[in-house]
Amino acid sequence: MTGESEVSALLFKLAIILISAKIFGEIVENRFKQPAVLGELLAGMVIGPFALGPYIGIHPVPGAPLPIPPDVDMIANISVILLLFVAGLETDIEKFLRFGLISGLVGAMGIVLPFFLGFLAIELFYDAPNKFAAGLFTGAALTATSVGITARVLNDLGKLTTPEGSTILGAAVIDDVLGILVLAIVVAITGVEGEAMSTFEIAKTIVIAVVFWIGVIFLGLKFVDQISRILSMFKMPGSQLTVAIAFGLMISYLASLVKLAPIIGAYAAGLALSASAHRDFLAERMIPIYEFLVPIFFVAMGMLVDVKRIPEIALLGVVIIVFAIIGKFFGCYVAAYFGGFNKHGASRIGIGMVPRGEVGLIVAYYGLKYGVIDEHIYTIAVVMSFVTTMITPPLLKKTFENPVEGWVEKRKSSA
């Protein structure tokens, strides 16, 4: 009976989450002409454990770093894996490879400046027993752009395959890879797991991560014809889609085995299939599943915000949020501009790289778990993720309203 009651409770929570997501999404999109993802985040704040949640069975989890129910968190994680798989599937692989070098430069610059500013904020405005370690974890939490949020916003705007969109998405993925590596390095330096990692072990982790991601994409492109033939072997309705999703889930699992975020594997799997003859067919069939599952992730993101704690962290919170925004924007703007975009394209890329999410929260989670940062810094990390996510869609939409091309070919005529 206990299992049945847990399933019943989950069904009720999912129904509330989906209804709220669509109601708030409709209001934000139709009334305020902004991407529906903002409405989904707001829905999460309203029905989350710190607002109306306890009245509908969504309670804060005592002692848990993430306050949302574990069953909701599990489905949200599956949702974001699906989101990244679809984003990879819909990516124009030729443009992705064409802008790969620029994406790498943008991703790297988008790591360095936010990390430094996050560390500086703790040094100047925070008092902790181990300020150095707290600064490292805070800086690391500011590094990684949210691939899921970025992909959703670009998709909503219909800009996923533009030069800016390809660069932003590629850089965001690289950011997440680097963000996980930064976390591993920070854990190694601080020795919070009991023993600091050697330089060799750190280098080994970096090499494995890079080889895995590049390897999946390379093998997918090399054997694209064979993959298409395998998919064509399945004739039953829905079989090809099921096999493709299973492929994405398997690559996500393999990514986790080499200490990468599963979302990195999901995006790489989608990219590997994007060159196949089944790309358009799979993308079209994924739409209903996407529309059902993906809003759950963004509602769950909104649920993490405890607005009642914000006054306690006002000064430090404002400093870190401002540093997070300007660090990411200017770091990526400079890289994009010198990488070949004009000021319009560089601005779009800088803004598109601002939102933080999954990896930043993972870093904050480990910092809290190891006792390096306290609940105040953790709350700041959550609020920072929310604020950067909230401001990006309208700003990015505004920059794309200007029809001027952002790529270097138009620089002289539009700069």
Side-chain angles (χ1 to χ4, degrees), residues 90-115:
E90 294 184 345
T91 298
D92 186 323
I93 190 64
E94 291 184 2
K95 284 187 178 178
F96 181 85
L97 294 176
R98 179 185 177 190
F99 295 101
L101 185 61
I102 301 173
S103 295
L105 180 61
V106 171
M109 286 295 291
I111 288 281
V112 175
L113 190 54
F115 182 89

Side-chain angles (χ1 to χ4, degrees), residues 30 32 161 199 201 212 229 250 267 269 283 286 357 365 390:
N30 295 324
F32 298 100
T161 59
T199 304
E201 290 171 323
F212 173 85
R229 281 198 293 270
M250 182 58 68
Y267 185 70
M286 287 292 296
Y365 164 82
M390 288 286 290

